[in-house]
Structures are given as structure tokens and as C-alpha cells.
Amino acid sequence: MGKSLKELQRDAVSIFQAGVEAVDPYLAVTRHLSLDGDSLRADGQTIDLPAHGRILVVGAGKAGAPMARAVEEILGDRISDGLICVKYGHLSPVDRTRIVEAGHPVPDENGLKAARGVAELLGPAGEDDLVICLISGGGSALLPLPTGSVTLEDKQAVTGLLLRSGAEIGEINAVRKHLSVTKGGGLARLAHPARVLALILSDVVGDPLDVIASGPTVPDPTTFNSAMEILDRYDIRDQVPSSVLRHLEEGVDGKALETLKPGAPEFESVFNLLVGTNAMAVEAAAARARELGYETSVLSSSIIGEARVVATGHAEMAARMRKEAKLPTCLLSGGETTVTIAGDGKGGRNQEFALAAAIGIDGLANVLILSAGTDGSDGPTDAAGAMADGTTVARALSQGLDPVQYLEGNDSYHFFEALGDLLITGPTMTNVMDLHIILVGGGNGD
């Protein structure tokens, strides 16, 4: 028996929520970290607690507060001090760790103060100390400590230019690493010679540790030359602030300190542990879909590309599923798309994905596509994403809304707001990129 559109809408939200719940930051830490006498057990690795030194908790990211809460419950008053920077509104109760709220995706003055605080905390760290570093999505913007003559405003300008150009997160971070004291192994450099345990929640396709939050505790394969090539690739070299260009040029000439590379002595006492990924969220979403009676398959947890292009491909798959499915069917994917901004509207990559998908599935009965960010915040909006179905375009046109015009203006938020089809969850306190859910009610076209 097939499912109605109303049932698809309800189920899509349930499937998304299951994916988010599977990567809850608190649980991600407690699943991988435990206390065993005077030692920590971290995925089979034994880390002796300091006999005379301190335990410091530092980090940055949207999931930092609940991660810190988990570490505090495990270690209690053994923690000497701590400082975590999180996005505004991403708080969780903690006792021994200071939490600073700051701007994301463009860094602000609060983030700069937090980064300075972390540097001051790590400055006196010695070989008897243990530093627990909590890293999650958003960490790059939330721990900005510009190097040389580069200012926070300069970094804000570069970040904005790269975001508007459609640059991928790895490219953005390659540039930011070379303008920062904390990124590209910089946090490991600041903590040295203390031991470092980094617990990492991935918000990057493929989970490359050097890209997540710009790799503060791992070697950096990119160089000053890489950063310059990215500016040229997007034709923005002549738009970046002069201090940024001067610093990068000095780096190319060997006159500025390069990020840490593999084999650097600073990494001899660093242990990096991945505790949450998009693949985990997709697997949990798939399990919930099966519980709800869907024939379920996973396309990929590494989806990248221009949001509207990827969405069109998903819409084509939905049309094929609608033609062939006799039973309710679900296809899941995860990853992180990008948007090249040409208009002056409001939206995010998931809302733009849903809008392009709506155009592609126009007129298909009992077909729904949901696209949403697991952090509950899609771009500079209060929505996690949006839902589209075969009636979306017709409903929009009946209200005088032209879907193509809204798509061209990058104004997906106002489009779905008018239809009541935004998905608003509030901050989820986690971040492992996005989930895309295709649901077909079944019945083989009936």
C-alpha cells in the first residue's frame, strides 16, 4: 500500500531527526572516551592522565559545548581549565570550561578574543600537561587568530569573497590556514610540548582531518602557493586586502612561517580521533526509513557540487523511482553542496537544493525531497532547509511566486517561507554537513 503526501512529509522529518540524533555530540564523545582509573581510554588508545601537570580543554565549533559537557562528566574536577568557542546560540551547561559565543561563517571580534584566550591558555603548557581539543564544524571561523599584519577585518573580507565565489570548504580553509596562528597544525604548535588528544566531529566530505576546522591539530598538505592558486582560480587576487596579499606573497618567498607539515616534532604527542561523521547520520536515517516501511538505499555520503545541479540530478532519480516503485521507497544521500551567489536574495545551499528539486519533480504525485543541514542552520538563515514535492511549483504559481525567478535570485528562503515548507529545527548542537532525502509513496505511478 502506498503512502500519502502528508505521510511522506511526516516521515521525512522523522528520518532527518534520526540522522541528527545519531551524531549527537555528547553521545559521540561518551561513545569514544571513558575513564579507566588514572587513564583515559580513547578507541583502544590508553592515555595516562597527568600525575603533576594540568588537563586543559580547548576547542572551537558548533558542537563544542555538548562535547565539553561530556568531557567534564568523564573527568570532573581533574580538569584544570578550559575555553571553547561556539556559534551564537549553541550553548550547553558546563562547569569547568569557559564558553565564548562568536560569529559564523564570518569571524567576529568575540571569536578573536576566544582565540587569543586559547593561545594564552596553551602558552605555558608543558610536557606534563594534557590538552583535550574539541573540534567540530565551524571551527575555522570560530577560532580566528590572524598572523602577521593581517587583521580580523581582512580575514572577514577574504572569507566573504571565497564564500560568494562558490569555493569549496577545503579551498576556503587552505587560504585561511595561511592567514592564521591556530589553523594548519597551529593549535598543536601552541600546545607543544604538551600531549594533545583531539576529538573531532567531521563536517567535511570524506572526513579529511586537515580540512575539518582547518586542521588545527594535524599536518597541513597545503602551502602558501596553494593559497595563491585558489585566489587566482576564482579571480579574486586583486580583490583581497593588501595585507593578505602581502603576507601570502611573503610566504611564497619563504619569508613567513609555513603551516606544520607531516613529520613535524609537534605531532609526536598528538592523537586525533574522529568521533562523528555524515556517514553515521546517513546510516541512522536509513535505519529509521526502513522502520517506517520504506525500501531504502543510500546513494552516497560524499555528495558535492553546485546545489542546483546536484538537486536536478536527485529530481531525475526521484522521477525514475516514481515510475518504478511499487512500494514506498527512500533514497538517501549526504555531503555538502555549494552555491554560487548571483542574486541578492536570502537562502542557503539546502533551501536552494530544495527549490531546484521542486522544479525537477513538478507534477509528480506523492514524491517528496527534503534537504537540510544537520546543524539546523542553513546558510545565514534560521532554517535547517526545506521540503519540496510535486505540488510545490503549482502552489507557488497560485500565489504569484515564480520558482525560476526565485532560484535565479538565490531567494529560496522567502520562496519556501511563503509556502510554509521551511524546515526550522533551531540549533541541533551538532554538525556533520547535510542530509538529502527522497521519498516516493509507491504504487508504481498509481
Side-chain angles (χ1 to χ4, degrees):
M1 185 175 178
K3 286 180 178 267
S4 67
L5 182 55
K6 190 171 184 178
E7 288 174 305
L8 297 183
Q9 292 168 340
R10 179 200 64 202
D11 291 348
V13 174
S14 177
I15 291 166
F16 174 74
Q17 289 174 336
V20 171
E21 290 165 4
V23 288
D24 175 272
Y26 173 86
L27 296 177
V29 171
T30 56
R31 278 195 297 261
H32 291 84
L33 192 69
S34 61
L35 186 63
D36 184 8
D38 290 325
S39 299
L40 276 176
R41 299 286 291 174
D43 265 17
Q45 181 92 358
T46 299
I47 301 168
D48 293 330
L49 298 179
H52 305 290
R54 302 171 299 160
I55 297 178
L56 305 174
V57 179
V58 300
K62 299 175 186 176
M67 293 176 80
R69 179 165 59 89
V71 171
E72 286 192 350
E73 290 194 11
I74 293 168
L75 289 171
D77 59 9
R78 294 173 187 252
I79 297 172
S80 302
D81 202 351
L83 177 58
I84 304 288
C85 189
V86 304
K87 182 178 179 179
Y88 291 112
H90 288 58
L91 296 174
S92 188
V94 291
D95 295 319
R96 306 187 67 83
T97 307
R98 289 169 285 158
I99 304 292
V100 176
E101 296 178 90
H104 175 278
V106 178
D108 66 6
E109 191 66 31
N110 273 5
L112 179 60
K113 291 177 182 176
R116 286 173 176 160
V118 167
E120 291 172 3
L121 191 59
L122 295 181
E127 58 185 12
D128 291 332
D129 297 327
L130 172 63
V131 176
I132 298 178
C133 188
L134 307 177
I135 301 297
S136 57
S140 279
L142 293 167
L143 208 63
L145 191 54
T147 187
S149 61
V150 178
T151 67
L152 176 63
E153 290 74 22
D154 294 336
K155 287 197 70 176
Q156 290 172 329
V158 173
T159 299
L161 281 169
L162 289 165
L163 286 168
R164 289 191 295 273
S165 74
E168 294 179 0
I169 186 63
E171 295 172 317
I172 295 172
N173 286 356
V175 175
R176 292 197 286 198
K177 287 177 189 179
H178 289 88
L179 304 174
S180 172
V181 173
T182 55
K183 300 171 176 57
L187 215 57
R189 180 181 266 150
L190 290 169
H192 187 73
R195 293 172 296 149
V196 176
L197 168 62
L199 305 177
I200 303 168
L201 197 72
S202 173
D203 69 330
V204 181
V205 171
D207 310 320
L209 297 183
D210 61 289
V211 177
I212 302 166
S214 296
T217 60
V218 299
D220 176 29
T222 71
T223 63
F224 279 104
N225 279 313
S226 305
M228 292 294 283
E229 289 168 1
I230 290 164
L231 297 185
D232 289 337
R233 186 175 306 145
Y234 292 98
D235 196 25
I236 58 174
R237 185 195 281 224
D238 61 352
Q239 299 177 53
V240 302
S242 58
S243 64
V244 169
L245 189 59
R246 182 168 57 252
H247 179 74
L248 294 180
E249 288 173 341
E250 288 174 353
V252 171
D253 293 337
K255 298 176 182 177
L257 188 64
E258 189 43 287
T259 51
L260 289 179
K261 305 305 175 195
E266 287 87 345
F267 296 118
E268 291 177 1
S269 56
V270 174
F271 177 52
N272 293 296
L273 177 60
L274 199 60
V275 298
T277 68
N278 184 266
M280 295 176 187
V282 170
E283 289 167 8
R288 175 62 59 83
R290 294 185 184 104
E291 290 174 1
L292 292 171
Y294 292 86
E295 290 189 337
T296 303
S297 57
V298 173
L299 177 64
S300 172
S301 61
S302 301
I303 297 294
I304 60 173
E306 188 72 24
R308 64 181 65 187
V309 175
V310 177
T312 299
H314 278 60
E316 291 170 354
M317 285 184 276
R320 289 196 295 271
M321 290 164 60
R322 178 71 183 96
K323 189 176 294 185
E324 299 168 2
K326 295 182 179 180
L327 296 173
T329 306
C330 172
L331 179 65
L332 292 161
S333 70
E336 186 169 282
T337 60
T338 55
V339 173
T340 301
I341 299 174
D344 58 0
K346 180 180 179 180
R349 60 183 180 268
N350 288 289
Q351 293 158 77
E352 181 144 324
F353 186 109
L355 179 50
I359 296 170
I361 60 174
D362 180 31
L364 296 180
N366 285 5
V367 173
L368 181 142
I369 296 180
L370 180 150
S371 182
T374 56
D375 60 356
S377 177
D378 185 33
T381 76
D382 61 355
M387 282 188 284
D389 60 63
T391 72
T392 297
V393 169
R395 287 187 288 120
L397 292 174
S398 72
Q399 295 185 37
L401 307 174
D402 182 345
V404 174
Q405 182 179 341
Y406 275 83
L407 184 61
E408 291 176 349
N410 300 116
D411 200 16
S412 52
Y413 181 91
H414 292 119
F415 178 86
F416 284 111
E417 182 183 41
L419 295 177
D421 288 337
L422 289 171
L423 178 65
I424 298 179
T425 64
T428 64
M429 312 304 289
T430 191
N431 184 19
V432 294
M433 301 179 288
D434 306 329
L435 291 177
H436 314 301
I437 303 167
I438 301 176
L439 297 182
V440 173
N444 197 27
D446 297 334

